[in-house]
């Protein structure tokens, strides 16, 4: 049996394009949305809180951050201990953000209620992973956005960003602050 989103508290870790789109979708479900991000911005889509508050209060925790040195295994044993035993973790971002051993322990012991995962520390997920044996986990093989439309949109966006760079403009979706040809000479 699943749970309704209506009336639930959803925590969004990371408020870039994906986190903002999720928050926008959630507005129609009547949820309380908590947001944690490096740079809080003005929004009507939820309330910015510190990470500990988000983990403590959320019924669903959605991870929407990039994998980097700062976020590597940042959802760890400490994070799971803060979460409610009725809470669910959703990771569609990157597997390296979650300490998989700590998550397996939290799921096995009832420290959290469940998880939905489309990404893993090692991909494809090894066949001997304990995650396969847990009844409180939904696993997909990193294909959550694998649709004709999503692939077309990603290809078009990538082409547009390349065009911007080649014409000396700043790309809209830069992972790093790019150095333009005029800045390097």
């Amino acid at each position: 049996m699943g749970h309704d989103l209506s009336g639930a508290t959803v925590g969004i870790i990371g408020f870039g394009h994906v986190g903002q789109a999720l928050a926008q979708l959630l507005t129609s479900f009547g949820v309380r949305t908590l947001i944690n991000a490096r740079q809080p911005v003005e929004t009507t889509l939820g309330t910015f809180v510190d990470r500990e508050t988000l983990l403590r209060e959320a019924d669903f925790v959605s991870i929407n951050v990039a994998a980097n040195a700062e976020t590597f295994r940042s959802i760890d044993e400490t994070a799971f201990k803060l979460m409610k035993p009725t809470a669910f973790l959703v990771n569609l971002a990157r597997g390296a953000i979650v300490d998989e051993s700590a998550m397996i322990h939290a799921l096995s012991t009832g420290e959290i209620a469940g998880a939905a995962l489309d990404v893993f520390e090692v991909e494809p997920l090894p066949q001997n992973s304990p995650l396969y044996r847990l009844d409180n986990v939904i696993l997909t093989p990193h294909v959550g956005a694998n649709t004709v439309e999503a692939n077309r949109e990603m290809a078009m966006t990538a082409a547009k960003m390349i065009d911007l760079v080649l014409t000396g403009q700043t790309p809209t979706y830069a992972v790093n602050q790019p150095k333009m040809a005029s800045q390097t000479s």
Side-chain angles (χ1 to χ4, degrees), residues 35-85:
I35 305 164
N36 178 258
R38 286 181 297 178
Q39 300 291 331
V41 296
E42 186 125 351
T43 184
T44 59
L45 298 175
T47 304
F48 279 88
V49 296
D50 61 76
R51 190 179 117 148
E52 289 74 24
T53 299
L54 184 147
L55 292 169
R56 230 183 266 110
E57 295 184 15
D59 299 303
F60 300 90
V61 174
S62 177
I63 301 171
N64 306 283
V65 294
N68 56 40
E70 182 183 330
T71 62
F72 180 74
R73 291 191 178 160
S74 60
I75 305 299
D76 58 8
E77 180 181 355
T78 302
F80 291 115
K81 288 189 183 311
L82 288 170
M83 293 172 69
K84 300 177 190 180

mmCIF file of all heavy atoms in Angstrom, residues 35-85:
data_model
loop_
_atom_site.group_PDB
_atom_site.id
_atom_site.type_symbol
_atom_site.label_atom_id
_atom_site.label_comp_id
_atom_site.label_asym_id
_atom_site.label_seq_id
_atom_site.Cartn_x
_atom_site.Cartn_y
_atom_site.Cartn_z
ATOM 1 N N ILE A 35 12.450 23.110 1.554
ATOM 2 C CA ILE A 35 13.533 23.177 0.576
ATOM 3 C C ILE A 35 14.845 23.441 1.297
ATOM 4 O O ILE A 35 14.917 24.274 2.201
ATOM 5 C CB ILE A 35 13.280 24.317 -0.436
ATOM 6 C CG1 ILE A 35 11.918 24.151 -1.104
ATOM 7 C CG2 ILE A 35 14.409 24.392 -1.461
ATOM 8 C CD1 ILE A 35 11.419 25.408 -1.810
ATOM 9 N N ASN A 36 15.882 22.724 0.865
ATOM 10 C CA ASN A 36 17.233 22.987 1.363
ATOM 11 C C ASN A 36 18.143 23.145 0.157
ATOM 12 O O ASN A 36 18.151 22.284 -0.734
ATOM 13 C CB ASN A 36 17.724 21.854 2.258
ATOM 14 C CG ASN A 36 19.142 22.091 2.730
ATOM 15 O OD1 ASN A 36 20.072 21.497 2.203
ATOM 16 N ND2 ASN A 36 19.301 22.970 3.687
ATOM 17 N N ALA A 37 18.863 24.242 0.112
ATOM 18 C CA ALA A 37 19.774 24.505 -1.001
ATOM 19 C C ALA A 37 20.896 25.419 -0.514
ATOM 20 O O ALA A 37 20.756 26.102 0.499
ATOM 21 C CB ALA A 37 19.023 25.165 -2.155
ATOM 22 N N ARG A 38 22.006 25.395 -1.253
ATOM 23 C CA ARG A 38 23.142 26.265 -0.900
ATOM 24 C C ARG A 38 22.747 27.726 -0.928
ATOM 25 O O ARG A 38 23.158 28.496 -0.073
ATOM 26 C CB ARG A 38 24.306 26.045 -1.867
ATOM 27 C CG ARG A 38 25.037 24.759 -1.658
ATOM 28 C CD ARG A 38 26.167 24.644 -2.642
ATOM 29 N NE ARG A 38 25.603 24.617 -4.004
ATOM 30 C CZ ARG A 38 26.297 24.564 -5.107
ATOM 31 N NH1 ARG A 38 27.599 24.573 -5.060
ATOM 32 N NH2 ARG A 38 25.703 24.515 -6.272
ATOM 33 N N GLN A 39 21.983 28.113 -1.922
ATOM 34 C CA GLN A 39 21.590 29.505 -2.104
ATOM 35 C C GLN A 39 20.074 29.638 -2.081
ATOM 36 O O GLN A 39 19.429 29.467 -3.114
ATOM 37 C CB GLN A 39 22.131 30.039 -3.440
ATOM 38 C CG GLN A 39 23.630 29.996 -3.588
ATOM 39 C CD GLN A 39 24.317 30.981 -2.666
ATOM 40 O OE1 GLN A 39 23.774 32.026 -2.307
ATOM 41 N NE2 GLN A 39 25.523 30.650 -2.248
ATOM 42 N N PRO A 40 19.482 29.945 -0.918
ATOM 43 C CA PRO A 40 18.029 30.149 -0.892
ATOM 44 C C PRO A 40 17.644 31.300 -1.823
ATOM 45 O O PRO A 40 18.376 32.275 -1.958
ATOM 46 C CB PRO A 40 17.739 30.513 0.561
ATOM 47 C CG PRO A 40 18.885 29.931 1.329
ATOM 48 C CD PRO A 40 20.071 30.050 0.419
ATOM 49 N N VAL A 41 16.528 31.141 -2.490
ATOM 50 C CA VAL A 41 15.997 32.170 -3.372
ATOM 51 C C VAL A 41 14.560 32.462 -2.963
ATOM 52 O O VAL A 41 13.925 31.659 -2.284
ATOM 53 C CB VAL A 41 16.031 31.726 -4.863
ATOM 54 C CG1 VAL A 41 17.452 31.536 -5.341
ATOM 55 C CG2 VAL A 41 15.223 30.461 -5.084
ATOM 56 N N GLU A 42 14.075 33.598 -3.374
ATOM 57 C CA GLU A 42 12.691 33.947 -3.091
ATOM 58 C C GLU A 42 11.778 33.046 -3.918
ATOM 59 O O GLU A 42 11.934 32.939 -5.134
ATOM 60 C CB GLU A 42 12.455 35.416 -3.444
ATOM 61 C CG GLU A 42 11.092 35.875 -3.056
ATOM 62 C CD GLU A 42 11.145 37.106 -2.168
ATOM 63 O OE1 GLU A 42 12.223 37.498 -1.713
ATOM 64 O OE2 GLU A 42 10.066 37.642 -1.937
ATOM 65 N N THR A 43 10.841 32.381 -3.258
ATOM 66 C CA THR A 43 9.918 31.501 -3.968
ATOM 67 C C THR A 43 8.631 31.345 -3.165
ATOM 68 O O THR A 43 8.636 31.475 -1.938
ATOM 69 C CB THR A 43 10.539 30.102 -4.211
ATOM 70 O OG1 THR A 43 9.618 29.325 -4.989
ATOM 71 C CG2 THR A 43 10.847 29.376 -2.923
ATOM 72 N N THR A 44 7.567 31.078 -3.884
ATOM 73 C CA THR A 44 6.286 30.763 -3.238
ATOM 74 C C THR A 44 6.036 29.262 -3.272
ATOM 75 O O THR A 44 4.976 28.804 -2.880
ATOM 76 C CB THR A 44 5.126 31.488 -3.968
ATOM 77 O OG1 THR A 44 5.115 31.058 -5.336
ATOM 78 C CG2 THR A 44 5.281 32.996 -3.888
ATOM 79 N N LEU A 45 7.028 28.500 -3.746
ATOM 80 C CA LEU A 45 6.853 27.061 -3.933
ATOM 81 C C LEU A 45 7.170 26.227 -2.699
ATOM 82 O O LEU A 45 6.988 25.013 -2.716
ATOM 83 C CB LEU A 45 7.725 26.584 -5.102
ATOM 84 C CG LEU A 45 7.394 27.207 -6.454
ATOM 85 C CD1 LEU A 45 8.401 26.755 -7.504
ATOM 86 C CD2 LEU A 45 5.971 26.882 -6.872
ATOM 87 N N GLY A 46 7.650 26.853 -1.643
ATOM 88 C CA GLY A 46 7.983 26.125 -0.437
ATOM 89 C C GLY A 46 8.731 27.017 0.530
ATOM 90 O O GLY A 46 8.906 28.214 0.293
ATOM 91 N N THR A 47 9.192 26.410 1.609
ATOM 92 C CA THR A 47 9.904 27.138 2.657
ATOM 93 C C THR A 47 11.324 26.619 2.762
ATOM 94 O O THR A 47 11.533 25.409 2.887
ATOM 95 C CB THR A 47 9.187 26.927 4.010
ATOM 96 O OG1 THR A 47 7.826 27.332 3.876
ATOM 97 C CG2 THR A 47 9.864 27.719 5.118
ATOM 98 N N PHE A 48 12.291 27.522 2.719
ATOM 99 C CA PHE A 48 13.689 27.133 2.892
ATOM 100 C C PHE A 48 13.957 26.852 4.366
ATOM 101 O O PHE A 48 13.570 27.636 5.231
ATOM 102 C CB PHE A 48 14.632 28.215 2.378
ATOM 103 C CG PHE A 48 14.819 28.163 0.898
ATOM 104 C CD1 PHE A 48 13.951 28.836 0.056
ATOM 105 C CD2 PHE A 48 15.840 27.415 0.338
ATOM 106 C CE1 PHE A 48 14.107 28.773 -1.317
ATOM 107 C CE2 PHE A 48 16.007 27.338 -1.034
ATOM 108 C CZ PHE A 48 15.136 28.023 -1.868
ATOM 109 N N VAL A 49 14.594 25.712 4.624
ATOM 110 C CA VAL A 49 14.942 25.308 5.983
ATOM 111 C C VAL A 49 16.354 24.722 5.956
ATOM 112 O O VAL A 49 16.880 24.380 4.892
ATOM 113 C CB VAL A 49 13.950 24.266 6.550
ATOM 114 C CG1 VAL A 49 12.549 24.848 6.695
ATOM 115 C CG2 VAL A 49 13.923 23.003 5.707
ATOM 116 N N ASP A 50 16.942 24.554 7.123
ATOM 117 C CA ASP A 50 18.241 23.887 7.176
ATOM 118 C C ASP A 50 18.043 22.395 6.917
ATOM 119 O O ASP A 50 16.930 21.871 7.010
ATOM 120 C CB ASP A 50 18.945 24.146 8.512
ATOM 121 C CG ASP A 50 18.159 23.631 9.698
ATOM 122 O OD1 ASP A 50 18.154 22.394 9.908
ATOM 123 O OD2 ASP A 50 17.543 24.448 10.407
ATOM 124 N N ARG A 51 19.118 21.735 6.568
ATOM 125 C CA ARG A 51 19.044 20.327 6.174
ATOM 126 C C ARG A 51 18.494 19.443 7.290
ATOM 127 O O ARG A 51 17.694 18.541 7.049
ATOM 128 C CB ARG A 51 20.428 19.848 5.748
ATOM 129 C CG ARG A 51 20.404 18.494 5.102
ATOM 130 C CD ARG A 51 21.779 18.115 4.685
ATOM 131 N NE ARG A 51 22.135 16.938 5.444
ATOM 132 C CZ ARG A 51 22.920 15.993 5.009
ATOM 133 N NH1 ARG A 51 23.517 16.111 3.868
ATOM 134 N NH2 ARG A 51 23.159 14.939 5.727
ATOM 135 N N GLU A 52 18.897 19.702 8.528
ATOM 136 C CA GLU A 52 18.441 18.877 9.649
ATOM 137 C C GLU A 52 16.930 18.983 9.828
ATOM 138 O O GLU A 52 16.258 17.977 10.070
ATOM 139 C CB GLU A 52 19.172 19.263 10.939
ATOM 140 C CG GLU A 52 20.636 18.863 10.957
ATOM 141 C CD GLU A 52 21.539 19.738 10.065
ATOM 142 O OE1 GLU A 52 21.172 20.914 9.776
ATOM 143 O OE2 GLU A 52 22.585 19.234 9.621
ATOM 144 N N THR A 53 16.394 20.185 9.717
ATOM 145 C CA THR A 53 14.943 20.373 9.838
ATOM 146 C C THR A 53 14.218 19.622 8.729
ATOM 147 O O THR A 53 13.222 18.931 8.973
ATOM 148 C CB THR A 53 14.577 21.872 9.799
ATOM 149 O OG1 THR A 53 15.221 22.522 10.900
ATOM 150 C CG2 THR A 53 13.076 22.090 9.862
ATOM 151 N N LEU A 54 14.720 19.740 7.513
ATOM 152 C CA LEU A 54 14.113 19.042 6.381
ATOM 153 C C LEU A 54 14.093 17.539 6.638
ATOM 154 O O LEU A 54 13.057 16.890 6.496
ATOM 155 C CB LEU A 54 14.870 19.362 5.094
ATOM 156 C CG LEU A 54 14.299 18.769 3.808
ATOM 157 C CD1 LEU A 54 14.551 19.709 2.641
ATOM 158 C CD2 LEU A 54 14.872 17.407 3.501
ATOM 159 N N LEU A 55 15.223 16.971 7.026
ATOM 160 C CA LEU A 55 15.291 15.523 7.252
ATOM 161 C C LEU A 55 14.379 15.094 8.395
ATOM 162 O O LEU A 55 13.738 14.046 8.328
ATOM 163 C CB LEU A 55 16.737 15.102 7.537
ATOM 164 C CG LEU A 55 17.695 15.221 6.346
ATOM 165 C CD1 LEU A 55 19.136 15.042 6.808
ATOM 166 C CD2 LEU A 55 17.338 14.214 5.263
ATOM 167 N N ARG A 56 14.294 15.887 9.438
ATOM 168 C CA ARG A 56 13.474 15.554 10.606
ATOM 169 C C ARG A 56 11.973 15.603 10.300
ATOM 170 O O ARG A 56 11.200 14.799 10.813
ATOM 171 C CB ARG A 56 13.783 16.525 11.740
ATOM 172 C CG ARG A 56 14.064 15.860 13.058
ATOM 173 C CD ARG A 56 14.308 16.848 14.189
ATOM 174 N NE ARG A 56 15.727 17.090 14.339
ATOM 175 C CZ ARG A 56 16.369 18.230 14.034
ATOM 176 N NH1 ARG A 56 15.699 19.254 13.583
ATOM 177 N NH2 ARG A 56 17.649 18.350 14.194
ATOM 178 N N GLU A 57 11.547 16.544 9.460
ATOM 179 C CA GLU A 57 10.115 16.803 9.275
ATOM 180 C C GLU A 57 9.504 16.197 8.016
ATOM 181 O O GLU A 57 8.291 16.030 7.942
ATOM 182 C CB GLU A 57 9.858 18.313 9.298
ATOM 183 C CG GLU A 57 10.182 18.929 10.650
ATOM 184 C CD GLU A 57 9.854 20.412 10.721
ATOM 185 O OE1 GLU A 57 9.121 20.921 9.838
ATOM 186 O OE2 GLU A 57 10.324 21.055 11.668
ATOM 187 N N ALA A 58 10.314 15.857 7.024
ATOM 188 C CA ALA A 58 9.767 15.406 5.742
ATOM 189 C C ALA A 58 9.262 13.973 5.792
ATOM 190 O O ALA A 58 9.884 13.097 6.394
ATOM 191 C CB ALA A 58 10.822 15.546 4.650
ATOM 192 N N ASP A 59 8.135 13.752 5.135
ATOM 193 C CA ASP A 59 7.611 12.397 4.942
ATOM 194 C C ASP A 59 8.272 11.758 3.720
ATOM 195 O O ASP A 59 8.414 10.541 3.648
ATOM 196 C CB ASP A 59 6.089 12.451 4.728
ATOM 197 C CG ASP A 59 5.382 13.039 5.935
ATOM 198 O OD1 ASP A 59 5.553 12.488 7.045
ATOM 199 O OD2 ASP A 59 4.678 14.059 5.772
ATOM 200 N N PHE A 60 8.647 12.594 2.762
ATOM 201 C CA PHE A 60 9.352 12.168 1.554
ATOM 202 C C PHE A 60 10.535 13.109 1.367
ATOM 203 O O PHE A 60 10.351 14.327 1.396
ATOM 204 C CB PHE A 60 8.438 12.241 0.319
ATOM 205 C CG PHE A 60 7.217 11.379 0.423
ATOM 206 C CD1 PHE A 60 6.047 11.873 0.968
ATOM 207 C CD2 PHE A 60 7.248 10.065 -0.025
ATOM 208 C CE1 PHE A 60 4.909 11.090 1.073
ATOM 209 C CE2 PHE A 60 6.118 9.263 0.075
ATOM 210 C CZ PHE A 60 4.952 9.772 0.630
ATOM 211 N N VAL A 61 11.716 12.559 1.169
ATOM 212 C CA VAL A 61 12.917 13.363 0.930
ATOM 213 C C VAL A 61 13.377 13.089 -0.499
ATOM 214 O O VAL A 61 13.697 11.954 -0.845
ATOM 215 C CB VAL A 61 14.046 13.009 1.930
ATOM 216 C CG1 VAL A 61 15.327 13.754 1.582
ATOM 217 C CG2 VAL A 61 13.607 13.318 3.360
ATOM 218 N N SER A 62 13.383 14.134 -1.314
ATOM 219 C CA SER A 62 13.795 14.010 -2.709
ATOM 220 C C SER A 62 15.167 14.663 -2.885
ATOM 221 O O SER A 62 15.350 15.836 -2.554
ATOM 222 C CB SER A 62 12.771 14.694 -3.624
ATOM 223 O OG SER A 62 13.206 14.630 -4.965
ATOM 224 N N ILE A 63 16.104 13.907 -3.426
ATOM 225 C CA ILE A 63 17.461 14.408 -3.636
ATOM 226 C C ILE A 63 17.571 14.934 -5.060
ATOM 227 O O ILE A 63 17.302 14.210 -6.019
ATOM 228 C CB ILE A 63 18.492 13.302 -3.390
ATOM 229 C CG1 ILE A 63 18.346 12.786 -1.962
ATOM 230 C CG2 ILE A 63 19.898 13.815 -3.651
ATOM 231 C CD1 ILE A 63 19.155 11.556 -1.690
ATOM 232 N N ASN A 64 17.980 16.196 -5.182
ATOM 233 C CA ASN A 64 18.037 16.865 -6.483
ATOM 234 C C ASN A 64 19.297 17.713 -6.607
ATOM 235 O O ASN A 64 19.248 18.837 -7.093
ATOM 236 C CB ASN A 64 16.800 17.751 -6.677
ATOM 237 C CG ASN A 64 15.524 16.970 -6.479
ATOM 238 O OD1 ASN A 64 15.113 16.232 -7.344
ATOM 239 N ND2 ASN A 64 14.913 17.093 -5.318
ATOM 240 N N VAL A 65 20.425 17.195 -6.151
ATOM 241 C CA VAL A 65 21.682 17.934 -6.212
ATOM 242 C C VAL A 65 22.676 17.210 -7.100
ATOM 243 O O VAL A 65 22.549 16.015 -7.356
ATOM 244 C CB VAL A 65 22.301 18.134 -4.805
ATOM 245 C CG1 VAL A 65 21.430 19.038 -3.948
ATOM 246 C CG2 VAL A 65 22.533 16.803 -4.112
ATOM 247 N N ALA A 66 23.675 17.946 -7.540
ATOM 248 C CA ALA A 66 24.754 17.354 -8.330
ATOM 249 C C ALA A 66 25.676 16.561 -7.405
ATOM 250 O O ALA A 66 25.779 16.855 -6.211
ATOM 251 C CB ALA A 66 25.545 18.455 -9.027
ATOM 252 N N ALA A 67 26.330 15.565 -7.961
ATOM 253 C CA ALA A 67 27.328 14.808 -7.201
ATOM 254 C C ALA A 67 28.653 15.553 -7.306
ATOM 255 O O ALA A 67 29.155 15.795 -8.394
ATOM 256 C CB ALA A 67 27.461 13.399 -7.752
ATOM 257 N N ASN A 68 29.181 15.944 -6.161
ATOM 258 C CA ASN A 68 30.484 16.606 -6.112
ATOM 259 C C ASN A 68 31.099 16.325 -4.745
ATOM 260 O O ASN A 68 30.529 15.583 -3.934
ATOM 261 C CB ASN A 68 30.353 18.116 -6.384
ATOM 262 C CG ASN A 68 29.381 18.801 -5.442
ATOM 263 O OD1 ASN A 68 29.334 18.512 -4.251
ATOM 264 N ND2 ASN A 68 28.576 19.714 -5.978
ATOM 265 N N ALA A 69 32.240 16.898 -4.476
ATOM 266 C CA ALA A 69 32.929 16.626 -3.208
ATOM 267 C C ALA A 69 32.065 17.011 -2.005
ATOM 268 O O ALA A 69 32.093 16.339 -0.972
ATOM 269 C CB ALA A 69 34.261 17.369 -3.174
ATOM 270 N N GLU A 70 31.287 18.053 -2.134
ATOM 271 C CA GLU A 70 30.437 18.522 -1.039
ATOM 272 C C GLU A 70 29.255 17.595 -0.767
ATOM 273 O O GLU A 70 28.829 17.412 0.365
ATOM 274 C CB GLU A 70 29.928 19.930 -1.359
ATOM 275 C CG GLU A 70 29.080 20.561 -0.282
ATOM 276 C CD GLU A 70 28.553 21.924 -0.713
ATOM 277 O OE1 GLU A 70 29.222 22.614 -1.503
ATOM 278 O OE2 GLU A 70 27.453 22.271 -0.259
ATOM 279 N N THR A 71 28.719 16.987 -1.821
ATOM 280 C CA THR A 71 27.524 16.153 -1.662
ATOM 281 C C THR A 71 27.827 14.659 -1.585
ATOM 282 O O THR A 71 26.932 13.876 -1.256
ATOM 283 C CB THR A 71 26.535 16.393 -2.829
ATOM 284 O OG1 THR A 71 27.152 16.008 -4.064
ATOM 285 C CG2 THR A 71 26.091 17.844 -2.885
ATOM 286 N N PHE A 72 29.062 14.247 -1.864
ATOM 287 C CA PHE A 72 29.428 12.834 -1.872
ATOM 288 C C PHE A 72 29.052 12.177 -0.548
ATOM 289 O O PHE A 72 29.479 12.614 0.523
ATOM 290 C CB PHE A 72 30.931 12.676 -2.133
ATOM 291 C CG PHE A 72 31.398 11.249 -2.154
ATOM 292 C CD1 PHE A 72 31.113 10.423 -3.230
ATOM 293 C CD2 PHE A 72 32.109 10.720 -1.090
ATOM 294 C CE1 PHE A 72 31.533 9.103 -3.257
ATOM 295 C CE2 PHE A 72 32.544 9.400 -1.105
ATOM 296 C CZ PHE A 72 32.252 8.589 -2.193
ATOM 297 N N ARG A 73 28.195 11.171 -0.613
ATOM 298 C CA ARG A 73 27.695 10.425 0.557
ATOM 299 C C ARG A 73 27.190 11.347 1.677
ATOM 300 O O ARG A 73 27.306 11.028 2.863
ATOM 301 C CB ARG A 73 28.762 9.473 1.082
ATOM 302 C CG ARG A 73 29.021 8.342 0.113
ATOM 303 C CD ARG A 73 29.872 7.269 0.723
ATOM 304 N NE ARG A 73 30.053 6.189 -0.242
ATOM 305 C CZ ARG A 73 31.022 5.309 -0.158
ATOM 306 N NH1 ARG A 73 31.880 5.357 0.836
ATOM 307 N NH2 ARG A 73 31.121 4.365 -1.053
ATOM 308 N N SER A 74 26.598 12.462 1.289
ATOM 309 C CA SER A 74 26.078 13.405 2.286
ATOM 310 C C SER A 74 24.777 12.921 2.923
ATOM 311 O O SER A 74 24.399 13.385 3.993
ATOM 312 C CB SER A 74 25.894 14.791 1.671
ATOM 313 O OG SER A 74 24.978 14.740 0.590
ATOM 314 N N ILE A 75 24.093 11.991 2.264
ATOM 315 C CA ILE A 75 22.942 11.341 2.901
ATOM 316 C C ILE A 75 23.519 10.067 3.500
ATOM 317 O O ILE A 75 23.678 9.049 2.840
ATOM 318 C CB ILE A 75 21.810 11.063 1.896
ATOM 319 C CG1 ILE A 75 21.396 12.338 1.173
ATOM 320 C CG2 ILE A 75 20.626 10.402 2.598
ATOM 321 C CD1 ILE A 75 20.851 13.433 2.093
ATOM 322 N N ASP A 76 23.864 10.177 4.764
ATOM 323 C CA ASP A 76 24.629 9.143 5.448
ATOM 324 C C ASP A 76 23.896 8.657 6.695
ATOM 325 O O ASP A 76 22.713 8.964 6.889
ATOM 326 C CB ASP A 76 26.020 9.675 5.793
ATOM 327 C CG ASP A 76 25.956 10.935 6.657
ATOM 328 O OD1 ASP A 76 24.851 11.331 7.126
ATOM 329 O OD2 ASP A 76 27.022 11.552 6.870
ATOM 330 N N GLU A 77 24.598 7.917 7.516
ATOM 331 C CA GLU A 77 24.007 7.367 8.741
ATOM 332 C C GLU A 77 23.365 8.456 9.596
ATOM 333 O O GLU A 77 22.259 8.281 10.108
ATOM 334 C CB GLU A 77 25.101 6.637 9.534
ATOM 335 C CG GLU A 77 24.619 6.017 10.824
ATOM 336 C CD GLU A 77 25.754 5.330 11.585
ATOM 337 O OE1 GLU A 77 26.882 5.256 11.079
ATOM 338 O OE2 GLU A 77 25.468 4.864 12.704
ATOM 339 N N THR A 78 24.034 9.574 9.728
ATOM 340 C CA THR A 78 23.497 10.687 10.516
ATOM 341 C C THR A 78 22.190 11.185 9.921
ATOM 342 O O THR A 78 21.220 11.445 10.644
ATOM 343 C CB THR A 78 24.525 11.835 10.590
ATOM 344 O OG1 THR A 78 25.735 11.325 11.162
ATOM 345 C CG2 THR A 78 24.016 12.997 11.411
ATOM 346 N N ALA A 79 22.150 11.323 8.606
ATOM 347 C CA ALA A 79 20.927 11.792 7.935
ATOM 348 C C ALA A 79 19.776 10.814 8.161
ATOM 349 O O ALA A 79 18.649 11.231 8.463
ATOM 350 C CB ALA A 79 21.196 11.968 6.442
ATOM 351 N N PHE A 80 20.047 9.519 8.020
ATOM 352 C CA PHE A 80 18.981 8.528 8.207
ATOM 353 C C PHE A 80 18.471 8.517 9.641
ATOM 354 O O PHE A 80 17.288 8.313 9.877
ATOM 355 C CB PHE A 80 19.442 7.139 7.766
ATOM 356 C CG PHE A 80 19.628 7.029 6.281
ATOM 357 C CD1 PHE A 80 20.875 6.805 5.732
ATOM 358 C CD2 PHE A 80 18.546 7.182 5.424
ATOM 359 C CE1 PHE A 80 21.043 6.722 4.362
ATOM 360 C CE2 PHE A 80 18.695 7.110 4.048
ATOM 361 C CZ PHE A 80 19.953 6.886 3.515
ATOM 362 N N LYS A 81 19.340 8.761 10.608
ATOM 363 C CA LYS A 81 18.912 8.802 12.016
ATOM 364 C C LYS A 81 18.002 10.000 12.278
ATOM 365 O O LYS A 81 17.158 9.958 13.167
ATOM 366 C CB LYS A 81 20.120 8.816 12.937
ATOM 367 C CG LYS A 81 20.830 7.472 12.978
ATOM 368 C CD LYS A 81 21.889 7.429 14.058
ATOM 369 C CE LYS A 81 22.643 6.132 14.073
ATOM 370 N NZ LYS A 81 21.857 4.926 14.055
ATOM 371 N N LEU A 82 18.161 11.069 11.501
ATOM 372 C CA LEU A 82 17.300 12.241 11.659
ATOM 373 C C LEU A 82 15.904 12.022 11.063
ATOM 374 O O LEU A 82 14.937 12.615 11.507
ATOM 375 C CB LEU A 82 17.937 13.464 10.988
ATOM 376 C CG LEU A 82 19.149 14.066 11.676
ATOM 377 C CD1 LEU A 82 19.811 15.114 10.782
ATOM 378 C CD2 LEU A 82 18.744 14.693 13.009
ATOM 379 N N MET A 83 15.828 11.186 10.043
ATOM 380 C CA MET A 83 14.556 10.979 9.341
ATOM 381 C C MET A 83 13.552 10.207 10.193
ATOM 382 O O MET A 83 13.927 9.410 11.042
ATOM 383 C CB MET A 83 14.807 10.247 8.016
ATOM 384 C CG MET A 83 15.579 11.079 7.003
ATOM 385 S SD MET A 83 16.086 10.166 5.518
ATOM 386 C CE MET A 83 14.507 9.872 4.737
ATOM 387 N N LYS A 84 12.282 10.437 9.923
ATOM 388 C CA LYS A 84 11.208 9.717 10.605
ATOM 389 C C LYS A 84 11.234 8.244 10.176
ATOM 390 O O LYS A 84 11.572 7.942 9.034
ATOM 391 C CB LYS A 84 9.844 10.265 10.182
ATOM 392 C CG LYS A 84 9.579 11.694 10.464
ATOM 393 C CD LYS A 84 8.199 12.020 9.882
ATOM 394 C CE LYS A 84 7.897 13.473 9.876
ATOM 395 N NZ LYS A 84 6.557 13.753 9.319
ATOM 396 N N PRO A 85 10.813 7.340 11.035
ATOM 397 C CA PRO A 85 10.731 5.930 10.630
ATOM 398 C C PRO A 85 9.652 5.701 9.562
ATOM 399 O O PRO A 85 9.633 4.661 8.921
ATOM 400 C CB PRO A 85 10.410 5.189 11.920
ATOM 401 C CG PRO A 85 9.947 6.214 12.877
ATOM 402 C CD PRO A 85 10.493 7.538 12.437
#
